[in-house]
Amino acid sequence: MLALTVILSWYTYTSATRAQENAVLIVAEARTKQVETSMTLVFRSLLSTVQNIVVYPHVQAPVVGTSGDLTLAKDTREWIGILQQGNDYYRDIMITDRRGICIAASNPGHFGRSFADVPAVVKALGGMFNIDDFSVGKITKKLSSTVAGPIDTGTEIAGAFVIICDFPQIVTYDDEEQERDRLAISTSL
């Protein structure tokens, strides 16, 4: 009789443990799917934004205009600043010429610098709208990426429009919440 009780107890315990593990996996899969769906929408939105922006006069003018037009350069810098301030995710915005040299930027440190070796810029100068250079900041823990598109004048790819984005933290791990969950699972056994 004792052996039967032990076997039934063990069976009940292992079944309950498996059921809880399966429940945790189902919740994790649902959260993962939710994050995946959200990020897919964000990335599609970014690509669409770049596709729409590359036809703006402030983007087209610097790559086709005369390099000595200071009014044009000032207007483009102001427009880039306004664009960046209007979106919390845009860390840097820049326009490169056909060689990948930055000719307008939200960050003055980028001006005149070559981005010809940045994969997103290479693809944009090759005629492709793209999202590339995914990374997670060592300090901020934020996902970053570069979105770029070709500036097509109708006769040639004259440059690239580039946005470097920092996304908010996607998943947070609250140690106290995790500890509560672990205790709840432990006590329910």
Side-chain angles (χ1 to χ4, degrees), residues 32-46:
T32 301
K33 192 67 174 167
Q34 193 175 28
V35 168
E36 176 189 6
T37 300
S38 297
M39 292 309 297
T40 299
L41 290 172
V42 167
F43 295 144
R44 284 183 183 160
S45 171
L46 281 169

Side-chain angles (χ1 to χ4, degrees), residues 118-169:
V118 174
V121 175
V122 171
K123 290 175 185 173
L125 293 174
M128 184 188 325
F129 290 91
N130 68 94
I131 299 177
D132 210 325
D133 303 329
F134 290 94
S135 64
V136 176
K138 290 180 181 178
I139 296 171
T140 64
K141 308 292 186 221
K142 291 183 177 179
L143 173 68
S144 295
S145 70
T146 302
V147 184
I151 302 172
D152 190 343
T153 63
T155 58
E156 67 177 338
I157 304 296
F161 181 78
V162 182
I163 301 174
I164 300 173
C165 301
D166 285 334
F167 301 102
Q169 193 170 6

Side-chain angles (χ1 to χ4, degrees), residues 80 92-96 102 104-106 110 115 160-164:
I80 286 174
D92 291 317
I93 300 172
M94 65 188 97
I95 298 171
T96 73
C102 180
S106 59
H110 293 322
F115 289 88
F161 181 78
V162 182
I163 301 174
I164 300 173

Side-chain angles (χ1 to χ4, degrees), residues 50-62:
V50 170
Q51 289 169 339
N52 291 325
I53 287 177
V54 295
V55 298
Y56 284 17
H58 288 98
V59 174
Q60 292 276 324

